[in-house]
Amino acid sequence: MRIRKAVFPAAGLGTRFLPATKAQPKEMLPLVDKPIIQYGVEEALASGCDQIIIVTGRGKQAIEDHFDVSYELERMLEDRKKTDLLAIVRHISDLIHVAYVRQKEAMGLGHAVLTARELVGEEPFAVLLADDVIDADPPCLEQMIRVFEETQCSVLATQIVEGEAISAYGVLDVKPADGRFQGRLYEIVNMVEKPRPEEAPSNLAIIGRYILTPAVFNTLSQIQAGAGGELQLTDGMRLLLKQEKMYAYVYEGRRHDTGDKLGFLKATVEFALKREDLGEPFRRYLRSLKL
Ligand code: G1P
């Protein structure tokens, strides 16, 4: 089966980024000049998905407006013959059909994914956490879809996180999958959400890209509040693991945790340096700083 649908949980309150997120969704904070969520949506499209499902909540209207047509703006750009900008603005609304579903309360990532159940239906689907911006070629999700196509099982993106920082993640217990995919593939044995460092089963953290079979909706509807008092996706997936084989894939690429202030700053600098129009002057500016 093909992966057509990509779910973006975006109902979180963004408390890590206050006060910027008091009246503005964290998914709309710009990395250079593009909102964070657009990086993820473009990755999903480039990976072959053609249906985007965004799980929103109160105060998230800017996301819907962003992917919608902006008549006044397009008209003004047309009148002023700003064709480059017009193309950029049209590209966003032409990207794709986006469906929205509202999560009435921010009850956790597992609950957010469950909210998309009706829109996803009975097919395997992708989940992308917009905070995790992954710079990769081919895109991270495309790499994972290749694994799914061969295994027909759920696949989670993973990377090594050293030291106590592992406690901020879902953590995997794995066994090697016979060197498949150049040794990047593991079979998942167990997983635990945000363990204490001494209880982490490994240093393999779950990163915000998932391919899940629809059976996860049943297991998500059975879980109780877990870490942080929230309905955790990791807990739903641990139940799924009792029914189905699941894989972890060590993707190739560079991940930025843009939900974290320092991660956001680093991503901004790296993306700006890679830009054709800004890279050189920005590099000169950085060099001129007395650090
Ligand atoms: C979420 C997941 C966690 C995962 C992480 C990746 O945590 O619950 O399992 O490791 O995303 O970024 P959050 O960052 O929302 O606390």
Side-chain angles (χ1 to χ4, degrees), residues 29 37 44 71 93 106 116 126 155 161 221 224 231 234 263 270 289:
L29 295 176
I37 192 165
Y71 291 107
S93 52
V155 186
V161 168
S221 63
Q224 310 282 321
L231 295 173
T234 302
E270 291 192 28
L289 293 175

Side-chain angles (χ1 to χ4, degrees), residues 179-279:
R180 288 160 80 189
F181 290 89
Q182 292 88 44
R184 292 180 171 275
L185 195 64
Y186 292 91
E187 200 182 315
I188 302 175
V189 177
N190 197 2
M191 61 184 94
V192 43
E193 180 68 13
K194 299 190 173 70
R196 286 200 296 234
E198 62 278 14
E199 283 162 7
S202 77
N203 57 6
L204 285 176
I206 302 173
I207 300 304
R209 298 289 181 281
Y210 312 76
I211 292 177
L212 297 169
T213 59
V216 78
F217 291 124
N218 273 335
T219 61
L220 281 173
S221 63
Q222 290 163 26
I223 57 171
Q224 310 282 321
E230 299 193 336
L231 295 173
Q232 295 290 352
L233 179 57
T234 302
D235 293 338
M237 295 191 301
R238 196 176 45 248
L239 283 186
L240 182 64
L241 195 55
K242 297 201 166 120
Q243 302 166 15
E244 297 179 0
K245 226 179 213 188
M246 295 178 72
Y247 288 98
Y249 179 72
V250 184
Y251 61 92
E252 273 179 274
R254 190 161 168 72
R255 171 234 181 198
H256 298 279
D257 178 9
T258 65
D260 169 73
K261 285 179 195 171
L262 186 59
F264 180 87
L265 289 171
K266 289 179 183 170
T268 301
V269 171
E270 291 192 28
F271 277 80
L273 285 171
K274 284 172 78 162
R275 283 275 292 251
E276 260 178 40
D277 52 344
L278 297 166

Side-chain angles (χ1 to χ4, degrees), residues 39-168:
Y39 288 88
V41 168
E42 289 180 357
E43 177 183 334
L45 299 182
S47 305
C49 298
D50 56 14
Q51 292 181 48
I52 303 295
I53 297 164
I54 303 183
V55 182
T56 65
R58 257 184 300 284
K60 299 286 183 164
Q61 206 192 324
I63 300 177
E64 297 182 34
D65 290 342
H66 182 70
F67 291 107
D68 199 358
V69 175
S70 173
Y71 291 107
E72 296 94 333
L73 181 61
E74 291 190 17
R75 186 66 177 279
M76 186 269 279
L77 294 172
E78 243 168 45
D79 290 349
R80 298 191 186 169
K81 310 251 175 310
K82 304 257 187 205
T83 43
D84 290 1
L85 288 177
L86 186 61
I88 290 174
V89 167
R90 286 218 170 117
H91 164 74
I92 301 165
S93 52
D94 286 350
L95 272 179
I96 207 168
H97 175 70
V98 185
Y100 298 92
V101 57
R102 245 171 115 109
Q103 186 187 8
K104 291 190 195 131
E105 275 177 276
M107 287 167 64
L109 184 57
H111 182 250
V113 172
L114 187 56
T115 307
R117 182 178 202 161
E118 306 261 296
L119 287 173
V120 171
E122 282 301 311
E123 59 182 285
F125 62 102
V127 176
L128 293 93
L129 307 187
D131 279 0
D132 284 332
V133 174
I134 302 180
D135 194 6
D137 183 17
C140 179
L141 189 63
E142 186 182 324
Q143 298 174 38
M144 294 169 67
I145 286 176
R146 287 181 192 167
V147 176
F148 173 80
E149 281 169 353
E150 203 180 296
T151 59
Q152 296 292 307
C153 292
S154 297
V155 186
L156 316 189
T158 186
Q159 85 171 40
I160 290 176
V161 168
E162 302 286 3
E164 305 218 326
I166 194 73
S167 288

